[in-house]
Amino acid sequence: THQVTLTWTYVDGRYNYTIYRGTTSGGESQVALNVQGTTYTDIGLTNGVAYQFRLVSVNALGQSIPSPVSTVTPHP
């Protein structure tokens, strides 16, 4: 309730990840920077609202292109 947990597959050679969230496609903004590992829990969300997330991996050469959108709706 009021949260979602995102998981993804580790990408070899990546140091960390940046998470983007929004409620409209293309309207995502950064919510987490330098995320280590392959799991992130976003809290304080509104139940019943569809949130769209994108993931960007980062290494010494820079950032990857954003992942496809994943839409998640928290429920009580």
Side-chain angles (χ1 to χ4, degrees):
T1 186
H2 300 289
Q3 67 182 26
V4 298
T5 299
L6 307 172
T7 60
W8 56 91
T9 303
Y10 172 76
V11 177
D12 192 34
R14 299 300 177 175
Y15 300 144
N16 57 60
Y17 301 89
T18 302
I19 311 294
Y20 294 85
R21 177 190 72 212
T23 54
T24 60
S25 182
E28 302 89 10
S29 58
Q30 184 177 299
V31 293
L33 182 65
N34 296 324
V35 175
Q36 304 292 313
T38 58
T39 302
Y40 174 74
T41 300
D42 195 2
I43 61 174
L45 303 177
T46 302
N47 289 337
V49 173
Y51 291 92
Q52 298 186 351
F53 291 89
R54 288 185 188 265
L55 176 75
V56 173
S57 60
V58 181
N59 69 11
L61 299 176
Q63 296 185 340
S64 69
I65 61 170
S67 68
V69 169
S70 292
T71 302
V72 184
T73 304
H75 294 283

